Amino acid sequence: MNSTSHLPKLREFFASLPASQIAADALENDTPLISRGVLDSLNLFMLITFIEDDLGIIIDPDDITPENFASMDAITGLLEISA
């Protein structure tokens, strides 16, 4: 599966976050998620759970780095190598 095919599901996930400072439809693929406060430690945990449960992709603990979750582009790149 192409990593960009996960973008709609990732957008749905970010739209479901209750305290997101940026509307999900305003998120660009290169929006810095961590520095903008969209992805904090709790949301990161929820995102990893979503990826593993809903997308069926297991994230290696060694891959849980700020660089791999810095933007939706970074996340889709991680999903591509993890799938």
Side-chain angles (χ1 to χ4, degrees):
M1 182 176 275
N2 185 322
S3 65
T4 57
S5 64
H6 295 299
L7 280 173
K9 289 279 192 184
L10 287 173
R11 289 190 183 283
E12 285 178 31
F13 169 81
F14 285 107
S16 74
L17 294 178
S20 178
Q21 294 178 357
I22 299 175
D25 59 350
L27 287 177
E28 298 294 330
N29 292 353
D30 61 350
T31 299
L33 300 173
I34 297 171
S35 64
R36 293 267 178 98
V38 176
L39 202 54
D40 59 16
S41 58
L42 177 59
N43 291 344
L44 176 61
F45 174 76
M46 291 170 44
L47 175 59
I48 292 168
T49 301
F50 168 80
I51 290 169
E52 292 185 345
D53 291 350
D54 291 26
L55 301 181
I57 299 172
I58 303 301
I59 303 296
D60 187 307
D62 291 338
D63 290 331
I64 302 173
T65 64
E67 297 80 18
N68 285 336
F69 291 90
S71 66
M72 284 201 286
D73 281 340
I75 296 168
T76 56
L78 173 62
L79 297 180
E80 188 172 288
I81 63 169
S82 297

